[in-house]
């Protein structure tokens, strides 16, 4: 790829190229932008990267990102501790938070079972999930993994583990997206939407 | 916008959001990616930002980015010093380098004349360009600003300054892009392509 041929700048471009979804043209544009930032701002950026790496750990209860022992959700008194929503990544938890409808807690798996990528149940935070179900606090576990093959398999695996505990285990509803178009919905989604139809 | 609610992480997301063309979803994805990097890699990234800021300056001849007094092009013996290609940004110079056809030198304006944005000729490196034309080394100046209103105006302004010096002043050719489709070319481009037609 074309380069500036100026070592410190090329190194910066390479760093941006490593990021997901950033091609070499975009990396060049970003490096150029960073170079034109006021110095204080560049320092802030640089420090934010290290800072996040140093201060962020996993919440000891739900394994979500946190800068304290417990994340804001787990340490909140107003959240319903009897419901756990199991998600793949912290970003999925944010997406659900975004609805403003969910008042329970989360459990972040940090991945899905994916034998092709060498990720088995032991690499996920399933053990920590089981540990949370020891007493009788939790009444319902909502499986909110992605509707992909791996996400489904992971949800299936976990729900089988939890079945004997006599909990309510639920799954997010499948169906047509709100504002979507029947015409453009794929067969699978439409079939699931039919299957899961409800009374008017 | 939705946030992780974990200060160091949110700060990192905000830093990415400041970059051009990075929306809040992408910023989240990038921050998440950086957090999952090995620590050494995050450190490299963080340092590359500061490093570029500290080490990069403008070449004292052509004003392109450089980590030395002279950029690689200006300090090269194999480049034709009698031709200067005037571009808006260092990235434009890279684009022209990418053709592998150009053997002359560059001059980077670092912008265009744009009264609306408060950028006049004095904010650009026009003075430095004039300084390069003092002796008789330079025979041709190629105006390679972008084909926008501002780029055109800037090229016009500079060419008027240079006219009295008796140099050859040229402009990149306008025309249909190679591999393009006549049908989809805009009127302006097509008109210029007709105007600039050459013998078969």
């Amino acid at each position: 790829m074309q380069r500036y041929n100026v070592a410190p700048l090329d190194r910066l471009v390479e760093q941006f190229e490593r990021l997901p979804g950033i091609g070499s043209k975009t990396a060049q544009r970003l490096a150029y932008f960073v170079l034109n930032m006021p110095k204080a701002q560049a320092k802030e950026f640089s420090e934010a990267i290290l800072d996040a790496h140093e201060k962020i750990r996993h919440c000891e209860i739900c394994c979500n990102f946190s800068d304290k022992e417990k994340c804001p959700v787990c340490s909140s008194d107003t959240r319903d501790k009897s419901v756990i929503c199991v998600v793949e990544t912290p970003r999925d938890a944010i997406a659900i938070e975004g609805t403003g409808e969910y008042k329970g807690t989360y459990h972040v798996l940090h991945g899905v079972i994916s034998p092709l990528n060498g990720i088995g149940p032991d690499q996920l935070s399933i053990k920590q999930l089981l540990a949370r179900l020891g007493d009788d606090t939790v009444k319902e576990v909502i499986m909110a993994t992605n509707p992909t093959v791996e996400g489904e398999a992971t949800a299936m695996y976990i729900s089988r583990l939890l079945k004997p505990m006599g909990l309510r285990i639920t799954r997010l509803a499948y169906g047509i997206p709100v504002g979507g178009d029947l015409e453009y919905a794929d067969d699978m989604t439409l079939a699931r939407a039919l299957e899961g139809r409800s009374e008017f």
Side-chain angles (χ1 to χ4, degrees), chain A:
Chain A
M1 190 47 210
Q2 301 159 22
R3 287 275 178 263
Y4 284 102
N5 266 326
V6 176
L9 192 47
D10 287 342
R11 270 201 299 276
L12 185 57
V13 173
E14 273 160 34
Q15 291 296 334
F16 278 116
E17 276 175 351
R18 287 186 183 178
L19 301 178
I22 306 281
S24 57
K25 282 265 172 191
T26 308
Q28 265 180 29
R29 207 179 63 225
L30 295 180
Y32 185 65
F33 181 85
V34 166
L35 210 59
N36 283 323
M37 274 180 180
K39 190 150 188 177
Q41 213 169 309
K43 214 171 157 210
E44 246 177 66
F45 188 12
S46 163
E47 279 168 2
I49 292 171
L50 279 188
D51 215 43
H53 248 264
E54 267 158 27
K55 297 194 182 148
I56 298 291
R57 44 178 159 174
H58 290 172
C59 166
E60 60 181 21
I61 297 179
C62 73
C63 301
N64 201 343
F65 287 142
S66 177
D67 53 351
K68 305 200 181 60
E69 282 178 7
K70 292 181 187 179
C71 74
V73 170
C74 287
S75 56
S76 161
D77 289 336
T78 61
R79 306 293 298 228
D80 180 359
K81 299 283 176 4
S82 71
V83 189
I84 296 180
C85 177
V86 177
V87 293
E88 292 179 19
T89 67
R91 286 193 290 144
D92 296 332
I94 293 182
I96 293 177
E97 275 301 271
T99 66
E101 296 285 325
Y102 182 66
K103 298 297 168 214
T105 62
Y106 295 96
H107 195 83
V108 179
L109 296 174
H110 288 287
V112 274
I113 297 172
S114 167
L116 278 178
N117 297 314
I119 298 173
D122 293 345
Q123 268 98 332
L124 308 179
S125 62
I126 295 177
K127 223 178 295 170
Q128 289 89 327
L129 175 61
L130 294 177
R132 293 175 71 178
L133 308 173
D135 52 13
D136 273 350
T137 323
V138 179
K139 305 293 180 205
E140 179 176 359
V141 173
I142 305 172
M143 301 306 304
T145 53
N146 283 315
T148 58
V149 176
E150 280 130 342
E152 290 291 338
T154 308
M156 190 71 83
Y157 177 88
I158 295 175
S159 64
R160 275 190 196 151
L161 277 182
L162 306 189
K163 263 280 159 58
M165 296 179 167
L167 297 159
R168 192 173 169 219
I169 303 173
T170 54
R171 181 88 184 85
L172 289 189
Y174 287 114
I176 345 151
V178 178
D181 206 322
L182 275 194
E183 204 180 332
Y184 297 114
D186 60 300
D187 296 346
M188 202 68 152
T189 303
L190 219 45
R192 298 285 195 115
L194 264 174
E195 205 180 299
R197 69 191 179 279
S198 59
E199 293 290 336
F200 222 151

